């Protein structure tokens, strides 16, 4: 589904949204899918999101006109002033500010006339024909309908602008890439994003020194873009005596003993990379609320807009799997890559985020070849398969027929696993994530005001969901619907697909990797209380250290860390009151988040009283015994994913499910 470009001519905010819309349609596994012919309003499209802030998907024209109107209201100014104010907020990069002023000069007069006539954004966009309703098609609107009939209101509005030259632009359907001097670069960007490969890659090794456009925000930064044999994740060439062949920053020879630093620090440390095969949740699709909340807009609001646009409105550098930068939001990410790197600095830069907005099991084959791993030259990898939404999510009026069936899922996943088996080095690991139950979207959000409706209390998430569903661009009509039966059917299909993935994990064996399955539960809080401090940066413990440090359970630093974690989970920290039962405490996501945000979960709050310390030690010992006897020893001998799953299932609310099967090869527990 390729949306029309004409809205780009009317919305400064989406000047380079071509990068996003070219990258992928809303439902990438259905190439023939198109929205209703009568509704051609462009919408920001993304797959199943991973947090509340990600639901800011609005038709571009309605969004921008709404923001203009609300800026005038917030600052008690004219519409002309509010349009100029919006332009002043945009950065100079990518010509965003210049383009904004140009667009205002073209469309501003008509928008001013229509808003003075006291019509809302829906009427403005229909009048300017950015949204066109054909006979027999439903009327899609975000705001309440006018008191007069829609036909009469629209007729009056059209009389106001009937002689305007603006309509010529909106009817033309032309886009910024149609300009001759931009056509070539647009084509290059389109191919780079469609193939999920870096736009700038001199040596064609699939790694780049450029951060965006599928560059180092998505995969480790290339340390030598003129040498195809130097890239993150490869085994060191002659222990990197003369150059850094694996880009982890470790190379050369120690003059004291003549031993290469790579050999000294990394030999035997079992370095490995992390690779994510995902959709927009894995790519960390996100539209900051202050981009569309007039009362919060300022000069600082859009400073990261150029980066976001050239990353397809994704933020992989902040993702939970491959993120490596500190988030500016209150929620701090602790990605799997950062955990691997902290455990072993030899893993530096060895990450790949092969995720795509709109991706599903049915479309992965189109871009999985962008994965970079050489069976002979590279280190093993941990691959996470997390297509968590689009196999059940689409925007059709009746979404059920468009959902992936268990049979189709089985076939495509097996194709993916066979591809991985032929490309991953021996000793790798693959984890299949199940699909979540997305019913919480409607249950928790439908009555809340969307950022666009907070000022006047006129747009709830239910209104937004209905608007997107009418346009047939809803990210997930099955779960974002007032129809409870439809929501239930969507959850049932998601459960069927998860069972299929679990069946694959328990029944299939592969030559070059072990296969695991993990449930994906959005509604469970995570308290990861398994971590062993390292005595050297590379991840290897210093030779000659005391015997107690060889056993992480006897390390006093770890005991203090676990004591802090126990305090959080049992409600003894960050809150003087709270739920009584253990299960309710461990589900208190907000309190745990506040604790972790203030680093309360990683630092002990003073010297514990003897009685408290004994309680903590008792809990630590019982936790250690369970983790070893019920889980980790199963990974050191003959085991199956089925026995693994049954082992930790009763305790899945206690420990991060995504980290448990990794304990044996991350070295967190003794064997």
């Amino acid at each position: 589904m390729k949306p029309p470009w004409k809205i780009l001519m009317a919305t400064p905010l989406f000047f380079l949204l071509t990068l996003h819309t070219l990258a992928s349609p809303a439902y990438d596994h259905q190439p023939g899918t198109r929205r209703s012919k009568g509704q051609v309003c462009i919408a920001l499209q993304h797959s199943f999101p991973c947090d509340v802030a990600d639901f800011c998907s609005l038709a571009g024209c309605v969004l921008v006109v709404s923001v203009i109107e609300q800026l005038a209201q917030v600052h008690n100014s004219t519409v002309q002033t509010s349009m100029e104010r919006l332009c002043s907020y945009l950065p100079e990069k990518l010509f965003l500010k210049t383009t904004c002023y140009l667009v205002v000069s073209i469309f501003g007069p008509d928008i001013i006339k229509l808003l003075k006539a006291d019509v809302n954004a829906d009427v403005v966009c229909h009048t300017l024909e950015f949204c066109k309703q054909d006979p027999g098609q439903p009327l899609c609107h975000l705001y309440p309908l006018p008191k007069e009939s829609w036909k009469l209101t629209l007729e009056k509005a059209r009389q106001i602008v009937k002689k305007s030259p603006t309509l010529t632009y909106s009817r033309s359907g032309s886009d910024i890439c149609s300009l001759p001097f931009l056509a070539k670069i647009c084509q290059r960007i389109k191919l780079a994003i469609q193939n999920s490969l870096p736009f700038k890659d001199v040596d064609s090794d699939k790694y780049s020194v450029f951060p965006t456009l599928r560059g180092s925000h998505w995969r480790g930064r290339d340390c030598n873009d003129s040498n195809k044999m130097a890239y993150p994740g490869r085994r060191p060439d002659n222990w990197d005596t003369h150059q850094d062949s694996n880009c982890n920053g470790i190379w050369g020879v120690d003059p004291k003993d003549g031993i290469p630093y790579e050999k000294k620090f990394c030999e035997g440390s079992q370095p490995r990379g992390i690779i994510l095969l995902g959709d927009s949740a894995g790519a960390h699709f996100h539209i900051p609320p202050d981009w569309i909340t007039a009362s919060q807009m300022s000069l600082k609001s859009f400073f990261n807009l150029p980066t976001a646009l050239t990353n397809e409105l994704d933020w992989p550098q902040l993702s939970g799997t491959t993120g490596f930068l500190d988030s500016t939001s209150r929620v701090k990410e602790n990605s799997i890559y950062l955990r691997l790197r902290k455990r072993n600095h030899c893993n530096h830069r060895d990450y790949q985020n092969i995720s795509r907005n709109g991706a599903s099991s049915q479309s992965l084959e189109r871009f999985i070849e962008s994965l970079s791993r050489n069976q002979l030259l590279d280190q093993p990898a941990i691959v996470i398969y997390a297509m968590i939404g689009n196999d059940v999510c689409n925007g059709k009026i009746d979404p059920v027929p468009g959902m992936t069936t268990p049979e189709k899922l089985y076939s495509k996943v097996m194709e993916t696993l066979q591809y991985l088996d032929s490309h991953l080095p021996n000793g790798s690991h693959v984890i299949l994530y199940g699909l979540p139950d997305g019913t919480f979207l409607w249950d928790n959000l439908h009555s809340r005001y969307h950022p666009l409706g907070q000022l006047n209390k006129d747009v709830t998430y239910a209104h937004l969901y209905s608007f997107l569903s009418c346009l047939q661009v809803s990210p997930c009509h099955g779960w974002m619907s007032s129809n409870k039966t439809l929501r239930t059917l969507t959850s049932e299909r998601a459960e069927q697909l998860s069972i299929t993935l679990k069946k694959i994990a328990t029944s299939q064996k592969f030559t070059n990797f072990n296969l695991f399955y993990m449930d994906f539960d959005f509604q469970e809080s995570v308290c990861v209380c398994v971590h062993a401090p390292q005595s050297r940066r590379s991840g290897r413990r210093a030779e000659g250290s005391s015997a107690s440090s060889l056993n992480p359970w006897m390390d006093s630093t770890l005991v203090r860390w676990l004591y802090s974690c126990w305090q959080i989970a049992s409600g003894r920290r960050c809150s003087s009151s709270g739920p009584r039962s253990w299960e309710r405490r461990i589900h208190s996501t907000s309190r745990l988040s506040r604790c972790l945000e203030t680093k309360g979960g990683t630092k002990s709050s003073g010297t514990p009283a003897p009685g408290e310390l004994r309680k903590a030690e008792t809990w630590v010992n019982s936790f250690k015994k369970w983790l070893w006897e019920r889980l980790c020893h199963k990974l050191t001998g003959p085991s199956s994913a089925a026995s693994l799953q049954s082992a930790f299932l009763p305790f899945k609310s206690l420990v991060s499910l995504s980290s448990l099967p990794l304990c044996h090869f991350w070295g967190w527990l003794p064997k």
Side-chain angles (χ1 to χ4, degrees):
M1 176 171 57
K2 183 178 180 180
W5 297 102
K6 58 186 179 182
I7 197 67
L8 295 174
M9 300 298 293
T11 57
L13 186 59
F14 303 130
F15 170 60
L16 283 186
L17 194 56
T18 52
L19 301 180
H20 174 64
T21 49
L22 278 172
S24 62
Y27 317 104
D28 207 18
H29 63 294
Q30 300 174 47
T33 301
R34 296 194 62 86
R35 68 177 68 89
S36 168
K37 294 180 180 179
Q39 299 294 342
V40 293
C41 307
I42 185 174
L44 293 180
Q45 301 162 6
H46 59 90
S47 70
F48 188 64
C50 58
D51 59 59
V52 172
D54 286 345
F55 299 110
C56 308
S57 175
L58 286 174
C61 177
V62 175
L63 184 153
V64 174
V65 173
S66 298
V67 168
I68 291 171
E69 188 175 16
Q70 291 184 18
L71 279 173
Q73 183 180 349
V74 168
H75 297 281
N76 193 26
S77 64
T78 64
V79 174
Q80 176 68 36
T81 302
S82 71
M83 288 190 290
E84 294 174 353
R85 185 187 304 275
L86 177 59
C87 291
S88 71
Y89 290 159
L90 298 180
E92 296 282 359
K93 290 182 178 180
L94 303 180
F95 305 103
L96 289 172
K97 183 173 293 189
T98 302
T99 303
C100 180
Y101 284 118
L102 175 62
V103 169
V104 166
S105 67
I106 297 174
F107 292 92
D110 284 345
I111 294 176
I112 292 173
K113 292 177 185 177
L114 291 169
L115 292 180
K116 278 186 177 180
D118 200 26
V119 298
N120 61 29
D122 292 321
V123 178
V124 171
C125 293
H126 277 277
T127 301
L128 297 180
E129 298 190 11
F130 289 112
C131 299
K132 183 180 179 182
Q133 182 189 9
D134 289 340
Q137 297 295 333
L139 171 65
C140 299
H141 58 94
L142 179 63
Y143 295 95
L145 290 172
K147 295 180 180 179
E148 293 183 322
S149 70
W150 173 259
K151 184 177 181 180
L152 180 60
T153 300
L154 192 59
E155 184 64 31
K156 290 182 178 180
R158 286 172 175 167
Q159 288 298 319
I160 296 174
V161 297
K162 66 178 182 178
K163 296 182 179 181
S164 172
T166 300
L167 296 178
T168 304
Y169 288 96
S170 60
R171 288 168 178 164
S172 67
S174 60
D175 65 85
I176 197 73
C177 287
S178 63
L179 300 176
F181 62 92
L182 289 178
K184 187 173 181 179
I185 191 170
C186 282
Q187 183 65 18
R188 285 187 61 197
I189 293 174
K190 176 180 178 180
L191 290 175
I193 296 177
Q194 282 185 339
N195 296 329
S196 298
L197 289 170
F199 172 71
K200 184 178 181 180
D201 180 14
V202 177
D203 57 10
S204 300
D205 61 359
K206 300 183 180 180
Y207 293 90
S208 176
V209 297
F210 193 73
T212 61
L213 292 172
R214 292 284 165 171
S216 59
H217 282 175
W218 297 84
R219 55 185 80 208
R221 188 176 188 273
D222 199 341
C223 55
N224 188 343
D225 207 17
S226 61
N227 183 358
K228 190 173 184 178
M229 299 306 295
Y231 54 86
R234 70 158 293 172
R235 300 181 189 273
D237 180 17
N238 193 26
W239 292 112
D240 283 358
T241 303
H242 301 292
Q243 65 173 350
D244 188 8
S245 66
N246 55 17
C247 300
N248 65 1
I250 304 173
W251 65 282
V253 178
D254 189 339
K256 295 180 180 180
D257 51 24
I259 300 176
Y261 289 116
E262 182 85 32
K263 181 178 179 68
K264 178 178 289 189
F265 294 136
C266 300
E267 185 179 25
S269 67
Q270 297 183 336
R272 64 192 68 246
I274 182 73
I275 301 173
L276 174 65
L277 305 175
D279 50 24
S280 65
H284 206 70
F285 179 95
H286 176 65
I287 299 179
D290 55 349
W291 285 8
I292 56 175
T293 308
S295 60
Q296 297 179 14
M297 282 187 186
S298 67
L299 291 172
K300 297 180 180 180
S301 297
F302 298 98
F303 78 96
N304 51 15
L305 177 60
T307 298
L309 289 175
T310 50
N311 270 336
E312 306 157 49
L313 292 183
D314 296 323
W315 309 74
Q317 69 275 25
L318 305 177
S319 73
T321 302
T322 63
F324 58 91
L325 296 180
D326 291 331
S327 173
T328 57
S329 67
R330 294 177 57 192
V331 180
K332 302 299 181 183
E333 294 284 0
N334 189 10
S335 70
I336 297 176
Y337 163 69
L338 287 179
R339 291 170 186 255
L340 279 169
R341 184 183 180 277
K342 184 176 182 180
R343 170 77 180 107
N344 186 347
H345 278 205
C346 301
N347 294 320
H348 183 51
R349 293 184 179 174
D350 195 0
Y351 62 90
Q352 298 179 57
N353 193 320
I354 315 295
S355 299
R356 193 166 170 181
N357 297 332
S360 70
S361 66
Q362 307 301 295
S363 65
L364 179 57
E365 63 183 357
R366 301 179 196 170
F367 58 93
I368 194 174
E369 292 184 2
S370 66
L371 183 150
S372 174
R373 222 60 180 181
N374 186 298
Q375 286 186 317
L376 299 179
L377 298 179
D378 296 350
Q379 303 284 7
I382 304 164
V383 180
I384 296 179
Y385 176 97
M387 298 295 174
I388 65 171
N390 292 304
D391 283 297
V392 296
C393 289
N394 62 70
K396 294 181 178 180
I397 295 177
D398 182 6
V400 177
M403 296 179 183
T404 301
T405 63
E407 294 76 18
K408 288 184 178 180
L409 180 75
Y410 186 94
S411 174
K412 288 296 184 180
V413 171
M414 286 301 300
E415 289 180 12
T416 298
L417 294 176
Q418 289 163 4
Y419 180 89
L420 293 175
D421 199 35
S422 65
H423 286 76
L424 293 179
N426 189 265
S428 296
H429 304 267
V430 176
I431 303 171
L432 302 178
Y433 272 7
L435 280 69
D437 181 357
T439 53
F440 74 92
L441 290 177
W442 178 267
D443 294 342
N444 293 294
L445 290 174
H446 76 278
S447 60
R448 298 187 184 186
Y449 289 110
H450 183 269
L452 208 59
Q454 290 175 0
L455 181 63
N456 298 310
K457 310 299 181 186
D458 53 357
V459 178
T460 64
Y461 278 92
H463 294 138
L464 171 64
Y465 295 164
S466 176
F467 181 47
L468 297 180
S469 296
C470 180
L471 296 175
Q472 296 190 46
V473 294
S474 171
C476 195
H477 181 42
W479 276 323
M480 297 163 63
S481 169
S482 59
N483 187 330
K484 185 176 181 180
T485 301
L486 180 57
R487 299 198 303 270
T488 301
L489 287 173
T490 305
S491 294
E492 290 175 352
R493 178 60 60 85
E495 183 178 7
Q496 293 170 4
L497 299 184
S498 295
I499 292 173
T500 301
L501 292 171
K502 188 183 302 184
K503 176 183 176 183
I504 293 173
T506 56
S507 62
Q508 300 296 323
K509 302 295 180 183
F510 295 89
T511 303
N512 291 311
F513 60 81
N514 295 325
L515 184 61
F516 302 96
Y517 169 83
M518 290 284 104
D519 283 314
F520 198 106
D521 197 338
F522 277 171
Q523 303 184 67
E524 298 218 1
S525 64
V526 173
C527 179
V528 183
C529 299
V530 186
H531 178 75
Q534 299 301 313
S535 57
R536 79 186 332 179
R537 288 174 53 183
S538 71
R540 296 175 59 200
R541 291 184 174 83
E543 297 176 6
S545 58
S546 63
S548 63
S549 66
L550 296 178
N551 186 344
W553 297 109
M554 299 301 293
D555 192 296
S556 59
T557 303
L558 178 63
V559 171
R560 288 195 300 271
W561 196 92
L562 286 169
Y563 171 74
S564 297
C565 193
W566 171 75
Q567 284 185 311
I568 295 174
S570 59
R572 286 169 170 76
R573 298 188 65 183
C574 300
S575 177
S576 59
S577 61
R580 297 179 180 178
S581 70
W582 175 271
E583 277 297 306
R584 289 170 64 194
R585 282 169 184 149
I586 201 65
H587 277 78
S588 180
T589 307
S590 58
R591 183 167 67 245
L592 284 172
S593 297
R594 288 196 299 271
C595 290
L596 297 175
E597 190 176 311
T598 58
K599 298 186 184 298
T602 58
K603 295 182 180 179
S604 179
S605 57
T607 303
E612 288 290 283
L613 183 57
R614 282 194 295 271
K615 292 179 182 178
E617 289 175 344
T618 300
W619 178 78
V620 168
N621 288 333
S622 61
F623 178 76
K624 176 200 78 171
K625 182 179 180 181
W626 165 76
L627 191 61
W628 178 249
E629 294 182 353
R630 296 293 300 270
L631 177 65
C632 287
H633 80 282
K634 294 179 179 293
L635 296 169
T636 63
S639 62
S640 66
S643 62
L644 176 65
Q645 180 73 6
S646 62
F648 64 70
L649 194 58
F651 295 89
K652 71 176 188 175
S653 64
L654 177 60
V655 183
S656 169
L657 301 187
S658 63
S659 64
L660 282 179
L662 310 181
C663 60
H664 70 303
F665 57 79
W666 279 1
W668 280 350
L669 293 176
K671 294 184 179 180

